[in-house]
């Protein structure tokens, strides 16, 4: 079946430290791997994505690493800030017939940034 | 507004009651998705529209769930004869076709008592 799992359900870091959130996925047919952030009471918000033929992509303070050999995805956040506190979802995207692209969310990692 | 708007924000329904949840996507977004998010879980796919066409409804948990998008913009998710297990946050998202960046609304929290 299709599943997206996370190694740790919670992560607590000090403000200014770097954070690493890990994810294991099972569906090799995914064409994109994506990280979403969800703050309490809000809908998920896109952070960064990486195409399946890449192994690293950098954004502003965030880096996503993809290791297809072991089916592992990680999100690195540099100089973590209190505003980064949220649940982070590892999401896979694959074509689901025609022009439909289905996003599959993992269970999420709760990141808490301590001041 | 500029974002995806969902209403109502909260809904309490008695078991057996029918409910209708509304989603106003971002103007011009072709793709519209509905997700169900149980407490402490990630969103689970329910259904997908491309314009007015419902291309995928494989995630709808039962025939009590019905979604429509008759004019290719506003969408409604209807749940008939609600059950306690339907209690969840229902999220709507829209995107520009094949983009990976889907814009989510704040969701409707449905509580069935």
């Amino acid at each position: 079946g299709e599943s997206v799992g996370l190694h740790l359900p919670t992560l607590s870091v000090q403000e200014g430290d770097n954070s690493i959130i890990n994810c294991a996925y099972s569906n090799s047919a995914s064409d994109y791997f994506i990280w979403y952030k969800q703050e309490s009471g809000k809908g998920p918000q896109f952070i960064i994505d990486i195409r399946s033929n890449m192994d690293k992509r950098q954004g502003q303070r965030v880096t996503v690493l993809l290791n297809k050999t072991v089916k592992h995805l990680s999100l690195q956040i540099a100089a973590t800030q209190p505003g980064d506190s949220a649940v982070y979802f590892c999401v896979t995207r694959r074509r689901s017939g025609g022009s439909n692209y289905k996003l599959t969310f993992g269970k999420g990692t709760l990141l808490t940034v301590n001041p | 507004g500029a974002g995806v708007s969902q209403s109502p924000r909260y809904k309490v329904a008695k078991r057996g009651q029918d409910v209708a949840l509304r989603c106003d996507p971002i103007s011009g977004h072709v793709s519209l998705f509905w997700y169900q998010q149980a407490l402490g879980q990630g969103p689970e796919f329910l259904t997908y529209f491309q314009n007015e066409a419902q291309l995928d409804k494989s995630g709808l948990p039962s025939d009590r769930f019905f979604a429509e998008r008759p004019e290719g913009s506003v969408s409604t998710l209807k749940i008939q004869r609600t059950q306690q297990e339907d209690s969840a946050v229902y999220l709507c998202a829209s995107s520009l076709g094949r983009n990976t960046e889907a814009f989510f609304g704040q969701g409707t929290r449905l509580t069935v008592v």
Side-chain angles (χ1 to χ4, degrees):
Chain A
E2 183 173 10
S3 68
V4 181
L6 295 170
H7 293 304
L8 293 173
T10 62
L11 178 64
S12 183
V13 301
Q14 290 298 123
E15 182 179 358
D17 287 352
N18 296 334
S19 302
I20 300 176
I21 301 172
N22 296 303
C23 171
Y25 64 90
S26 61
N27 192 337
S28 300
S30 301
D31 66 343
Y32 273 92
F33 300 85
I34 314 152
W35 284 98
Y36 275 80
K37 167 187 179 182
Q38 187 174 27
E39 297 175 80
S40 181
K42 297 184 178 180
Q45 179 184 8
F46 175 92
I47 301 174
I48 191 169
D49 65 5
I50 185 167
R51 195 182 174 103
S52 60
N53 62 355
M54 298 172 63
D55 54 23
K56 181 179 180 179
R57 188 173 184 211
Q58 288 184 295
Q60 187 176 10
R61 283 202 306 119
V62 294
T63 301
V64 56
L65 299 177
L66 174 63
N67 186 331
K68 293 187 295 295
T69 302
V70 296
K71 298 182 181 178
H72 183 268
L73 185 72
S74 69
L75 177 70
Q76 301 176 0
I77 305 174
T80 316
Q81 303 168 359
D84 295 327
S85 294
V87 176
Y88 288 79
F89 291 102
C90 167
V91 181
T92 60
R93 190 188 90 157
R94 66 175 180 87
R95 181 172 286 181
S96 176
S99 58
N100 179 19
Y101 289 82
K102 181 179 290 187
L103 300 180
T104 299
F105 283 73
K107 291 185 179 179
T109 292
L110 173 62
L111 174 66
T112 302
V113 181
N114 302 308
Chain B
V4 176
S5 177
Q6 292 187 245
S7 61
R9 188 82 172 83
Y10 303 93
K11 176 69 179 177
V12 178
K14 291 184 178 179
R15 191 171 59 176
Q17 185 179 351
D18 297 349
V19 298
L21 312 180
R22 178 187 169 103
C23 173
D24 284 85
I26 293 173
S27 179
H29 278 194
V30 169
S31 300
L32 185 145
F33 306 83
W34 283 99
Y35 282 80
Q36 179 190 59
Q37 186 173 24
L39 187 64
Q41 302 294 317
E44 296 275 351
F45 172 82
L46 292 177
T47 188
Y48 162 72
F49 289 86
Q50 185 178 71
N51 296 307
E52 70 278 2
Q54 188 175 20
L55 299 186
D56 189 340
K57 53 182 180 180
S58 62
L60 296 177
S62 76
D63 58 7
R64 296 187 294 105
F65 286 71
F66 172 78
E68 59 182 5
R69 193 186 185 196
E71 298 179 357
S73 55
V74 172
S75 177
T76 304
L77 176 67
K78 298 179 180 178
I79 309 173
Q80 296 177 321
R81 305 181 302 281
T82 52
Q83 303 295 316
Q84 282 192 318
E85 61 263 29
D86 299 334
S87 296
V89 174
Y90 291 85
L91 294 163
C92 176
S94 69
S95 71
L96 284 168
R98 297 172 50 180
N99 286 8
T100 58
E101 184 172 5
F103 294 84
F104 282 81
Q106 288 189 302
T108 293
R109 180 177 295 279
L110 173 66
T111 303
V112 181
V113 297

